[in-house]
Structures are given as structure tokens and as C-alpha cells.
Amino acid sequence: MIYVDIVSDTICPWCYIGKRRFERALAQSGRTDIAVAWRPFQLNPDMPPEGMTRDDYIRAKFGGGDRPRQIYQAIAESGREAGIEFQFSRIRRTPNTVMSHRLVHWGAKREAQEEVVDELFKAYFEQGLDIGDLDTLVECARRAGIDAESSRSFLLSDEGRHEVVTSDVYARRLGINGVPCFIVNRKYAVSGAQPPSAFVEVFNLAERDAATSAAQSVA
């Protein structure tokens, strides 16, 4: 089995693109021995709990001028190649992502982590919804196949917050300062939304490593 930890943020457009390219790599390789776990990272760890307006966020991050439009246009073009129609103009708020990461963490316990991640990306990037909002998160959980009332009760608690914050800090201590970052068998890292061929190459490398280790153990 090959284990892949995907360090990402729920409001990172390159993480959404990276997810689609990673999925394409899985399809191209035909592999069924990949176990995936999504790990939290906050691009904006100092974001207020209520988030901020999209306009204020863009201004604080990029300043004025035409630069933000150029950046998001380039991302949109890359997204289209990956089958994603980004709708950046629909986004009205940039959220604090701790609660959405908690939902991803909880989704893993219900064997629906992949589905939760996908619904969060769709809600934020394609529908422009505020994924820092409780009702929006409950709806994402429902679409992912998780009972809505159970999700609401969980999100209203503080469960999983410590794990999310601790994992974020741990990722930074590992030297991760940008996402997505795909860590394969805790040995190899693929940084950024790389083309499918890059992932396939690392899968093959991890498989050769495992075979070598197995041969050495019986030698």
C-alpha cells in the first residue's frame, strides 16, 4: 500500500486543481493501492474567526492595480484544463478555514473525507459560498453523504479543533509553507499542483522502494 498525505487548505485554488490532477494520475496509473488522507493547512492562520470580505482580503494580499485579476485569470485557465470552472467573481467572503478543516477531519471518521473535500471546493470555488458559515458546512456534509444533524452537532462543538491546529503547526515545522503538498509514504514530497505524470513517477518510485525493502528483509 502507498500512503499519500495531502496537505492543503480548503480555500486554496491550486489545491483544488492539484486534487483533480492527482485523481487523473490515479486513473492513468490504474493503481488501487493508494490510501489518501487530507491534512489541514491554513493559508491565513491569522484570519479573524468571522473571516473578511473578499474585497478586503484581495486588497490586503495583493494590493491594488490589475495584478489580482491577472493572477486569478491564470488560475482559472489552469482550472479549466483540469475540468474546473472557477467562479471567483461569486465569492463574497474569505473565511477562516478551521471549521471547514474540522469537517474534513470528521469526514475521515465517516469514510467520507474525499467527498467532503470535494464538496467544500465546489461550494467555495464554483458556487461562491461562504465555507466558514455553519449552514453552508452542514449542507456540504449532507451532499457528501453525512447526516446533516450529526454534522451540525459536531460543528457546534469544539471537537477536532485541537487536532486541526496541531496538524497545521506540525506541517509548518516540517518546512511546508505552501500548498498543496503531497507526501508519499512519509518520504517523498510533491509540491504544488503538478501534472499527473509527476505523481505517477513518485508512485512508481515508492513501489520500487517497497520492493527493495521487502527483498532486503528476506535476504
Side-chain angles (χ1 to χ4, degrees):
M1 185 67 71
I2 295 174
Y3 297 92
V4 182
D5 292 288
I6 306 177
V7 184
S8 76
D9 199 358
T10 51
I11 60 165
C12 165
W14 287 110
C15 294
Y16 194 7
I17 294 170
K19 182 179 190 296
R20 289 292 178 86
R21 291 177 178 175
F22 179 79
E23 290 167 346
R24 193 175 295 174
L26 291 180
Q28 289 177 3
S29 67
R31 304 194 75 100
T32 58
D33 60 344
I34 309 289
V36 174
W38 288 81
R39 308 297 184 191
F41 187 92
Q42 296 179 81
L43 287 170
N44 309 294
D46 299 322
M47 177 70 71
E50 68 278 9
M52 63 172 62
T53 68
R54 179 72 171 175
D55 288 345
D56 285 346
Y57 175 72
I58 295 297
R59 230 177 348 257
K61 190 176 181 70
F62 300 112
D66 199 42
R67 184 165 173 257
R69 186 193 65 78
Q70 293 173 348
I71 289 171
Y72 286 110
Q73 182 177 326
I75 294 172
E77 290 171 2
S78 293
R80 208 164 288 118
E81 180 272 331
I84 303 166
E85 285 296 331
F86 283 105
Q87 301 293 333
F88 293 115
S89 63
R90 292 184 180 180
I91 300 172
R92 293 290 176 261
R93 291 194 69 78
T94 299
N96 179 297
T97 57
V98 169
M99 196 148 68
S100 59
H101 281 306
R102 287 177 56 223
L103 186 62
V104 173
H105 176 76
W106 196 62
K109 298 180 179 180
R110 277 143 187 79
E111 299 185 350
Q113 189 175 48
E114 200 74 27
E115 291 82 359
V116 169
V117 171
D118 215 37
E119 292 301 333
L120 288 169
F121 280 147
K122 288 177 183 176
Y124 186 65
F125 288 117
E126 297 180 38
Q127 298 173 280
L129 299 177
D130 179 4
I131 59 170
D133 174 73
L134 175 64
D135 290 337
T136 299
L137 290 171
V138 169
E139 177 60 15
C140 286
R142 188 194 67 77
R143 292 179 185 177
I146 302 175
D147 176 70
E149 287 312 306
S150 297
S151 303
R152 185 178 297 276
S153 296
F154 165 77
L155 290 167
L156 286 170
S157 75
D158 210 38
E159 184 183 342
R161 180 178 296 275
H162 175 74
E163 289 85 347
V164 165
V165 173
T166 300
S167 293
D168 180 280
V169 170
Y170 178 67
R172 294 174 197 280
R173 286 178 178 169
L174 287 177
I176 297 172
N177 52 28
V179 286
C181 183
F182 300 78
I183 303 172
V184 180
N185 283 351
R186 297 190 175 182
K187 185 174 182 180
Y188 302 105
V190 178
S191 296
Q194 299 294 331
S197 58
F199 294 111
V200 173
E201 185 178 337
V202 176
F203 295 159
N204 293 338
L205 182 60
E207 184 178 44
R208 288 196 297 271
D209 271 2
T212 299
S213 297
Q216 289 175 344
S217 68
V218 298

